[in-house]
Amino acid sequence: YYDVSSSGLNFSGLLADMESAPDGSCFLLHACAHNPTGMDPTPSQWKEVSDVMKRKGHLPFFDCAYQGFASGDAPTDAAAIRLFVEEGHEMALVQSFSKNFGLYGQRVGALSFVSRDKEEADRVTSQLKIVARPMYSNPPLHGARIVSTVLDDEELTADFITECKGMADRINSMRVALRDGLAAAGSTKDWSHITTQIGMFAYSGLNKEQVDRMREEYAIYCTGDGRISMAGVTSKNVEYLAKAIHEVSK
């Protein structure tokens, strides 16, 4: 999926894997703000993915955990899902509201299926009940009712979209500040992928040795593959972060 050499999407490799997979395979697709890379397909690339999956009879299983944190507009972030529905796919969608509703402790989510007809929908529902009953029978309601209260009200939904955009804009501004900070620190490397990527994470391109140096020398922590949580970058620490990244990546 990801081309480390170009810090970008390996789209030809993605399509090749889908083409070579057995017909009727299930593919997990991130609807927006791909975790961990932050590299989403373009609308035209999503159309190509849809065409291949339709021809091969693959089952799309969408994971949508960051809606509203990619483009800053929640409906826009659902574009890939809506495309696949319009294209006539039978598909599944799992949504998390932990991040975009600030309900991490509540673990609120939804599992949805698009079936070919009512008979199939009834069979899917029956299977879901068989799985859900021994797992939890009845899930906690508090967080779910908060989400349903907001999304069932047009005015509250509009507020939700606006507030997500405020958070996305802040994260994007930190991407720009980090890229510019690296240039100001003296780095001559190409860090444009930091602003090309979207969502809550930046796949920095740092290797494990460089990540270890960040931790030991600068007390900056990120995952071993160089993934940075952009939500943790602020106007107060971005300069320090940029200088540290420059020092370990010279």
Side-chain angles (χ1 to χ4, degrees), residues 54 58-60 84 88-92 113-117 120:
K54 194 74 179 293
H58 294 330
L59 175 68
F84 274 62
H89 289 270
E90 297 168 57
M91 52 185 280
F113 286 85
V114 177
S115 304
R116 70 169 65 94
D117 52 41
E120 183 174 76

Side-chain angles (χ1 to χ4, degrees), residues 54 58-62 80-95 111-122 124-125 128:
K54 194 74 179 293
H58 294 330
L59 175 68
F61 192 107
F62 276 99
I81 300 168
R82 293 175 177 179
L83 170 67
F84 274 62
V85 173
E86 291 168 1
E87 295 279 298
H89 289 270
E90 297 168 57
M91 52 185 280
L93 164 66
V94 60
Q95 292 172 275
L111 173 62
S112 307
F113 286 85
V114 177
S115 304
R116 70 169 65 94
D117 52 41
K118 184 180 183 304
E119 289 185 5
E120 183 174 76
D122 289 342
V124 171
T125 300
L128 290 176

Side-chain angles (χ1 to χ4, degrees), residues 10-179:
N10 181 6
F11 188 61
S12 60
L14 172 64
L15 291 185
D17 282 349
M18 289 183 168
E19 290 280 9
S20 63
D23 290 358
S25 296
C26 179
F27 280 85
L28 178 64
L29 306 169
H30 282 201
C32 63
H34 184 274
N35 183 5
T37 69
M39 289 301 303
D40 289 0
T42 64
S44 62
Q45 288 174 331
W46 272 122
K47 180 64 170 65
E48 291 187 61
V49 170
S50 172
D51 291 344
V52 171
M53 296 192 75
K54 194 74 179 293
R55 186 174 67 254
K56 295 281 293 182
H58 294 330
L59 175 68
F61 192 107
F62 276 99
D63 175 4
C64 185
Y66 305 102
Q67 187 176 3
F69 284 167
S71 68
D73 180 73
T76 297
D77 289 348
I81 300 168
R82 293 175 177 179
L83 170 67
F84 274 62
V85 173
E86 291 168 1
E87 295 279 298
H89 289 270
E90 297 168 57
M91 52 185 280
L93 164 66
V94 60
Q95 292 172 275
S96 168
F97 301 102
S98 296
K99 293 89 174 175
N100 55 9
F101 272 84
L103 294 170
Y104 218 94
Q106 301 294 330
R107 310 307 297 173
V108 185
L111 173 62
S112 307
F113 286 85
V114 177
S115 304
R116 70 169 65 94
D117 52 41
K118 184 180 183 304
E119 289 185 5
E120 183 174 76
D122 289 342
R123 290 194 294 271
V124 171
T125 300
S126 174
Q127 293 299 311
L128 290 176
K129 288 179 178 178
I130 291 172
V131 173
R133 180 68 180 177
M135 284 180 65
Y136 55 74
S137 186
N138 288 295
L141 291 175
H142 180 69
R145 282 178 173 166
I146 292 174
V147 174
S148 64
T149 296
V150 172
L151 296 183
D152 283 340
D153 183 283
E154 289 187 8
E155 186 175 342
L156 291 177
T157 297
D159 288 343
F160 159 69
I161 292 173
T162 298
E163 291 178 11
C164 278
K165 185 179 188 306
M167 183 61 71
D169 287 347
R170 191 201 74 79
I171 292 174
N172 288 335
S173 71
M174 289 300 100
R175 288 183 179 277
V176 174
L178 179 56
R179 183 200 62 198

Side-chain angles (χ1 to χ4, degrees), residues 2-4 6-9 33-34 36-40 69-70 168-185 187-206 214 222 225-231 233 238-239 241-246 248-249:
Y2 191 72
D3 182 357
V4 176
S6 67
S7 296
L9 177 64
H34 184 274
T37 69
M39 289 301 303
D40 289 0
F69 284 167
D169 287 347
R170 191 201 74 79
I171 292 174
N172 288 335
S173 71
M174 289 300 100
R175 288 183 179 277
V176 174
L178 179 56
R179 183 200 62 198
D180 292 349
L182 282 159
S187 179
T188 57
K189 294 180 179 293
D190 181 9
W191 295 100
S192 60
H193 57 279
I194 292 176
T195 49
T196 301
Q197 297 167 6
I198 60 175
M200 296 179 69
F201 304 105
Y203 220 48
S204 65
L206 297 175
M214 291 257 287
C222 63
D225 58 4
R227 187 191 75 164
I228 296 172
S229 173
M230 290 305 302
V233 182
V238 67
E239 182 180 355
L241 174 62
K243 289 179 179 178
I245 292 175
H246 172 50
V248 303
S249 63

